[in-house]
Amino acid sequence: MKPRILSIRLANRDDAAAIAAMSRDEIEKGLPWSWTEGRVARAIANPEANVIVAGSPGALGGFGIMSYVDEDAHLLLFAVARTQRRQGIGSALLDWLETVAREALVRRIRVECRRGNEAARNFYGEHGYFESTIVHRYYRGVEDAIVLEKLLCPAT
């Protein structure tokens, strides 16, 4: 089977609505919607964050939003379209973000996911993330989160 060529690029303002809709439908399902188009647009404009997308405009396959503070990075939001999962898109997006983090001398990446989201927990585990803690009622005071971390660079 020939490998699929995947286009990953920095998001622009025109991507904000599609990212927000995917967040609402795939990540925030069952919770009040917080990653609205305006919030995503602010992340795109934030010089302390990277917002990346896979796929062409109008055909969003997945996205990731990562913020940076000193030697730490926080993967704020990450999703792959339901119809395009298990095709390497998530791995490619995560690899892109981790490569940038290493180049920025980030030592640790942190991400949260719903405690009951076994697919996400397994995905991150397969990519070298370890579960560090449980945060009770993290999501809108309703649902627990698992905090996962990946150490990139040893402390000096």
Side-chain angles (χ1 to χ4, degrees):
M1 177 191 248
K2 186 177 179 181
R4 176 180 170 180
I5 296 174
L6 181 65
S7 169
I8 297 176
R9 61 181 171 77
L10 289 170
N12 60 51
R13 179 62 179 91
D14 293 339
D15 296 308
I19 292 169
M22 189 180 290
S23 177
R24 179 193 62 221
D25 298 342
E26 303 290 344
I27 300 170
E28 298 182 83
K29 191 172 188 168
L31 297 170
W33 187 25
S34 68
W35 279 93
T36 61
E37 182 177 350
R39 185 173 181 194
V40 171
R42 286 189 298 278
I44 291 169
N46 182 350
E48 301 297 321
N50 277 328
V51 181
I52 61 170
V53 294
S56 58
L60 184 65
F63 70 88
I65 301 175
M66 187 178 291
S67 67
Y68 305 87
V69 176
D70 299 324
E71 297 176 342
D72 288 322
H74 187 188
L75 184 53
L76 299 168
L77 207 58
F78 189 86
V80 173
R82 185 173 305 278
T83 59
Q84 297 186 42
R85 292 182 185 158
R86 309 296 300 169
Q87 298 178 32
I89 294 171
S91 294
L93 287 165
L94 191 58
D95 182 60
W96 192 102
L97 290 165
E98 288 178 359
T99 297
V100 170
R102 281 185 185 92
E103 290 173 5
L105 302 179
V106 165
R107 293 194 174 151
R108 177 181 65 145
I109 297 174
R110 187 179 82 251
V111 61
E112 300 85 20
C113 71
R114 291 183 187 201
R115 188 175 191 177
N117 188 343
E118 292 296 324
R121 292 171 70 179
N122 289 335
F123 172 80
Y124 291 117
E126 289 168 4
H127 289 85
Y129 288 74
F130 64 92
E131 296 185 2
S132 64
T133 191
I134 298 169
V135 181
H136 297 286
R137 298 178 11 181
Y138 177 82
Y139 294 102
R140 301 287 192 260
V142 174
E143 198 165 346
D144 295 347
I146 299 291
V147 178
L148 301 104
E149 298 181 26
K150 183 172 185 176
L151 302 177
L152 300 181
C153 302
T156 56

